[in-house]
Amino acid sequence: MRRLYINTIGCQMNVYDSDQIERVLAPGGYTRTAQLDEADLVVVNTCAIRAKAEQKAFSFVGRLAKLKKRRPGLIVAVGGCVAQQEGEKILSRAPQVDLVFGPKAIPRLGRLVERVRLQGMRLVDIEASDAVAELDLTSGFRDDGQVSRFVTIMQGCDNFCTYCVVPYVRGREASRHPDRILEEIRLLVAGGVREVTLLGQNVNSYGLKEQWGSFVALLAQVDRIDGLDRIRFTTSHPKDLSDHLIDAFGRLDKLCAHIHLPVQSGSDRVLKRMNRRYTREVYLERIARLRQVRPDMAITSDFIVGFPGESDTDFEQTLSLLDEVAFDGIFAFMYSDRSVAPAAGFDAKIDDAQKKARLQALLQHQEAFTLAANQALVGRMQEILVEGFSTRPGLAEEPSARRQWSGRTPGNKIVNFDQELDCTGGETVRPGLMVGVRIEKAFSHSLWGRPVWVEEKPGGIKGETCHAA
Ligand code: SAH
Ligand code: SF4
Ligand code: F3S
């Protein structure tokens, strides 16, 4: 048996790709390990979205030089978006690297690794066709007890936001055939998965080029899969968020009331220079429409601070957008030059200190809204899909602390709770079950509550977790 260690950096798409990498290498005898020291093959699945992500990849690759000295047979492979972007250069920069492969080369990875292993070659495969990279769906699925999974429905991006590297490294938008997506989800569900998140850089344009019908049509088909309970998707581009899709939130039972709708900035001037192709007004109108259809809709977003030319007034407009929308949560990033993206050549760059100050101000401004959105759930019942034990840091140090279960609300908020039901008679909590939890406490990143009911599901292991440490 050979051991495979994968370090995944970057977005959910890379998490999905790492699962695909694991599947494609399984027939070659590779099984995944969490122990770097025992690996025969290390794959670094990289991200190029910001300079920091790229540095993270190179610093990890740097560490592997030592490991390779100790384990001479070790194969080091660099995949993902930095691999696609840098290609050959990685081989000359890092002698410990044996293989560089782009996201589109994943289906060929088994053969590439064999050539490295048997012929001792150093290889680069960053061939970037516009076709979708598909794996054989029937093999290599591993049931690792995960109840929620990502499923990529489309690759690449055609939007060319001026700051973004994705269209250059992931290529043109291409959708997977609906039959393959549905088949994949059915296989996942057969293995115990109850929630899927459909992934694409702009899911709204799913299937349009290929004339396979709309994203909403795909959602409706996924909604009909027996045994699947929850559907999420990401990312939706505000310029393409149609009424049709918004209405689907009111119609499809399994579609969770949460949308991640990255806005990037509250200033029209900045949005224009970013080539986002919507205005603040359009964005706000979409939010209003979403809330009209689903008043309980959780809304989250991404922001970039310090985009070239962003003035104090522009930034103030971003802060005031936070007031107007009252997001459930946000992700915020300091603008980072990507040499292939046009904004790298824009003038009026913002210095690092200014970017840091704006990032802090933005996050601080949002804090009260995030907390308020969480507090609004206190006293309410929420349906939680149990994912496992809470990994809350510090819990082990609390002497009285018991392990807590953890899962998410339909609105994607993390809820932790104790097992307090009658263990001898009723069902007990376990991953993969829905539990009704009454929310009692709200924090900034999670909620805490008491379980009121546990779904009855055939095959439940009654009583097993009663005395969980
Ligand atoms: N397709 C998605 C975004 C994918 S990238 C969308 O259009 O919304 C995830 C996030 O990274 C983006 O939303 C943006 O906020 C951030 N990002 C992308 N390029 C960046 C850059 N050059 N510097 C800083 N943040 C960036
Ligand atoms: Fe990047 Fe814009 Fe495409 Fe999102 S939509 S991946 S930000 S180019
Ligand atoms: Fe990063 Fe590539 Fe995803 S650049 S954000 S891993 S598509």
Side-chain angles (χ1 to χ4, degrees):
M1 190 176 48
R2 304 192 179 102
R3 298 283 187 188
L4 162 69
Y5 181 93
I6 310 181
N7 182 2
T8 309
I9 304 166
C11 64
Q12 294 153 328
M13 231 163 245
N14 264 11
V15 175
Y16 176 82
D17 284 354
S18 288
D19 284 348
Q20 303 300 97
I21 288 168
E22 177 184 339
R23 283 183 50 203
V24 86
L25 292 172
Y30 286 98
T31 47
R32 203 150 161 182
T33 172
Q35 305 299 323
L36 178 59
D37 285 349
E38 65 177 34
D40 302 296
L41 167 60
V42 177
V43 174
V44 196
N45 197 6
T46 62
C47 171
I49 202 83
R50 286 170 287 275
K52 245 192 191 163
E54 211 172 308
Q55 284 153 12
K56 204 168 155 185
F58 280 113
S59 94
F60 182 75
V61 170
R63 274 173 54 200
L64 295 176
K66 264 200 217 134
L67 186 63
K68 193 152 177 164
K69 276 208 186 102
R70 271 194 284 130
R71 290 175 71 86
L74 176 72
I75 298 174
V76 175
V78 178
C81 294
V82 178
Q84 188 65 43
Q85 183 183 269
E86 300 294 311
E88 290 273 349
K89 279 186 255 167
I90 297 178
L91 289 189
S92 27
R93 178 171 170 178
Q96 68 275 31
V97 174
D98 302 289
L99 172 63
V100 176
F101 66 100
K104 294 257 159 125
I106 293 174
R108 299 186 288 274
L109 191 57
R111 272 166 288 152
L112 291 166
V113 167
E114 277 310 272
R115 279 173 65 196
V116 171
R117 200 173 65 83
L118 300 172
Q119 297 163 21
M121 300 171 88
R122 298 182 82 205
L123 297 174
V124 177
D125 183 346
I126 52 167
E127 207 187 292
S129 82
D130 282 349
V132 170
E134 279 286 4
L135 295 187
D136 168 20
L137 277 176
T138 51
S139 67
F141 271 103
R142 179 175 54 102
D143 179 8
D144 55 4
Q146 284 186 63
V147 297
S148 178
R149 285 278 198 170
F150 298 127
V151 175
T152 291
I153 60 164
M154 57 198 298
Q155 300 166 353
C157 183
D158 287 351
N159 282 311
F160 292 95
C161 303
T162 53
Y163 50 81
C164 186
V165 77
V166 172
Y168 306 94
V169 289
R170 292 268 172 165
R172 295 291 62 72
E173 248 173 37
S175 298
R176 294 180 64 204
H177 194 280
D179 290 350
R180 302 204 50 110
I181 296 168
L182 296 169
E183 189 189 349
E184 181 166 332
I185 298 174
R186 283 193 198 100
L187 282 169
L188 291 172
V189 168
V193 167
R194 301 190 70 182
E195 174 183 282
V196 290
T197 304
L198 308 180
L199 301 179
Q201 296 297 353
N202 181 15
V203 292
N204 310 277
S205 52
Y206 171 80
L208 296 185
K209 266 187 200 170
E210 295 83 359
Q211 300 192 309
W212 285 334
S214 65
F215 177 55
V216 177
L218 177 72
L219 279 177
Q221 283 178 287
V222 177
D223 196 66
R224 286 197 289 272
I225 294 179
D226 282 340
L228 181 72
D229 296 270
R230 286 179 167 187
I231 308 168
R232 304 181 185 279
F233 63 80
T234 194
T235 308
S236 179
H237 194 300
K239 78 174 161 57
D240 297 320
L241 177 59
S242 64
D243 286 352
H244 196 36
L245 178 54
I246 294 178
D247 291 341
F249 279 103
R251 254 186 321 112
L252 301 177
D253 288 345
K254 297 177 184 173
L255 191 55
C256 290
H258 169 228
I259 191 164
H260 184 63
L261 199 63
V263 63
Q264 315 300 356
S265 168
S267 152
D268 282 344
R269 213 177 61 91
V270 174
L271 287 173
K272 198 163 174 60
R273 281 162 62 89
M274 287 177 164
N275 190 32
R276 290 291 285 180
R277 289 178 281 169
Y278 54 82
T279 58
R280 176 192 179 103
E281 193 190 339
V282 165
Y283 187 84
L284 288 170
E285 187 276 324
R286 295 287 78 189
I287 298 285
R289 180 83 211 263
L290 280 161
R291 287 187 165 144
Q292 199 182 348
V293 171
R294 284 295 300 252
D296 59 338
M297 183 73 94
I299 300 172
T300 55
S301 197
D302 288 349
F303 289 84
I304 295 177
V305 296
F307 186 76
E310 183 188 66
S311 65
D312 285 341
T313 322
D314 291 322
F315 181 62
E316 276 157 26
Q317 284 173 7
T318 295
L319 293 181
S320 83
L321 188 83
L322 293 187
D323 298 329
E324 277 192 59
V325 178
F327 291 104
D328 289 73
I330 64 163
F331 299 92
F333 311 100
M334 288 189 276
Y335 167 77
S336 167
D337 263 342
R338 309 283 64 214
S339 57
V340 290
F346 287 9
D347 49 17
K349 291 276 160 61
I350 310 296
D351 68 46
D352 273 1
Q354 177 80 287
K355 281 194 235 175
K356 269 192 198 132
R358 284 184 184 165
L359 181 70
Q360 262 184 357
L362 184 70
L363 293 173
Q364 215 166 14
H365 201 89
Q366 172 59 27
E367 251 171 48
F369 292 107
T370 306
L371 189 60
N374 287 348
Q375 277 165 345
L377 293 180
V378 171
R380 306 244 307 259
M381 282 292 294
Q382 290 285 297
E383 191 178 79
I384 309 303
L385 174 59
V386 182
E387 289 175 14
F389 285 119
S390 162
T391 49
R392 189 158 63 93
L395 203 62
E397 287 92 68
E398 291 172 33
S400 63
R402 290 196 294 155
R403 277 210 285 186
Q404 291 185 333
W405 290 105
S406 186
R408 282 168 197 268
T409 67
N412 213 29
K413 294 186 168 68
I414 295 170
V415 174
N416 299 315
F417 61 94
D418 292 325
Q419 162 88 47
E420 283 174 359
L421 293 174
D422 174 14
C423 293
T424 49
E427 276 287 349
T428 35
V429 177
R430 65 186 159 90
L433 287 186
M434 295 285 179
V435 177
V437 176
R438 188 179 309 284
I439 306 299
E440 294 195 356
K441 287 184 197 159
F443 310 101
S444 44
H445 297 292
S446 66
L447 300 155
W448 185 84
R450 286 180 202 281
V452 174
W453 53 260
V454 180
E455 152 197 57
E456 278 188 36
K457 223 176 175 239
I461 330 158
K462 284 191 181 179
E464 208 201 28
T465 51
C466 283
H467 308 291

